[in-house]
């Protein structure tokens, strides 16, 4: 396995008085696809937000290339090669597909190391080329998700954090979007997939983490983990199916 790209160490995160993460140890190597599953409120988005610098955490709790980066500002993390496709997509409504994508190009804080261009994003999602002049709010949910992924890729990430990119989409569209994952990881970009659909998470990833109530309850190679183990880690031992 290649060297660890990003890791968290005893990561603790809070929203005011509420503690959402209790000592999370997580790691991902260059080019790896890692799924992160868990029930509503388990802490998946909080883990991504902590990595991205959107929540205040101690420096040593997040390491990129072995360097402490916990609590660094989001724009600094983007410049260091970490990009997020956030929950709910957050596109610029009133702007066309192309203009949404160009925002990332114009503000690119990184050299074009990963080689993503507008043309390559259109190659990944051909539908976006046809709709390039369309305002994003007129697109379907799946097409909007493609714009959100494309925009993140134009930041030339070494690590792409995807928060529930399949949520609310029809199965055919989910397949289309997930087909892009291997093409993205082949460029050397590591991908974290937060995913509610456990079967999809398992089949699309090299390794998997399950969270429950702010803790990691299971980790391993996705192909080796049994459905029973996932059930227990997902719901807690007391709720495991007999
Ligand atoms: N802004 C916030 N303020 C206070 N508490 C929050 C905030 N965001 C999340 N939480 C709480 O932190 C915990 C973890 O939430 P988080 O959003 O990380 O879960 P999640 O695993 O992403 O869930 P979901 O699948 O619903 O997206 C939950 O108990 C949630 O209610
Ligand atoms: Mg979430």
């Amino acid at each position: 396995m290649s060297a660890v790209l990003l890791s968290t160490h005893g990561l603790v995160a809070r929203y005011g008085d509420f503690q959402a993460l209790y000592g999370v140890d997580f790691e991902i190597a260059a080019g790896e696809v890692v799924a992160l599953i868990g029930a509503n409120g388990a802490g998946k988005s909080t883990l991504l937000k902590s990595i991205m610098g959107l929540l205040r955490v101690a420096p040593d709790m997040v390491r990129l290339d072995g360097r402490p980066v916990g609590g660094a500002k989001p724009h600094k993390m983007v410049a260091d090669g970490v990009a997020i496709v956030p929950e709910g997509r957050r596109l610029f409504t009133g702007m066309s597909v192309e203009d949404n994508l160009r925002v990332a190009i114009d503000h690119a804080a990184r050299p074009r190391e990963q080689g993503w261009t507008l043309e390559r994003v259109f190659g990944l999602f051909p539908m976006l080329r046809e709709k390039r002049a369309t305002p994003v709010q007129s697109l379907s949910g799946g097409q909007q998700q493609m714009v959100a992924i494309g925009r993140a890729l134009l930041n030339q990430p070494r690590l792409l954090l995807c928060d529930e990119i399949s949520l609310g989409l029809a199965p055919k569209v989910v397949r289309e979007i997930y087909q892009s994952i291997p093409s993205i990881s082949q460029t050397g970009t590591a991908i974290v997939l937060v995913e509610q659909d456990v079967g999809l998470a398992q089949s699309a990833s090299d390794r998997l983490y399950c969270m429950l109530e702010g803790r990691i309850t299971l980790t391993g190679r996705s192909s080796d983990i049994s459905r029973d183990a996932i059930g227990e880690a997902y719901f807690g031992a007391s709720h495991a199916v007999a």
Side-chain angles (χ1 to χ4, degrees), residues 6 8 11 13 15 20-21 24 26 28 34-37 42-57 62 70-72 74 77 82-88 159-165 190-195 209 211 216:
L6 180 126
T8 72
L11 177 64
Y15 298 99
L21 298 182
V24 169
F26 172 93
I28 184 164
V34 170
L36 181 57
I37 62 170
K44 308 178 297 295
S45 298
T46 302
L47 175 54
L48 298 194
K49 286 191 263 180
S50 303
I51 291 172
M52 203 62 222
L54 293 161
L55 286 176
R56 217 168 48 185
V57 300
V62 184
M77 294 308 289
V82 185
I84 190 164
V85 183
E87 231 171 349
L159 173 61
L160 180 67
L161 309 173
C162 298
D163 202 346
E164 306 213 22
I165 51 176
I191 305 173
V192 179
L193 294 171
V194 169
E195 181 54 62
Y209 287 85
M211 292 184 77
I216 302 284

Side-chain angles (χ1 to χ4, degrees), residues 197-202 218 224-234:
D197 181 332
V198 173
L200 184 60
Q202 212 172 354
L218 177 72
D224 297 344
I225 299 181
S226 72
R227 268 318 179 70
D228 283 353
I230 289 179
E232 193 168 312
Y234 201 97

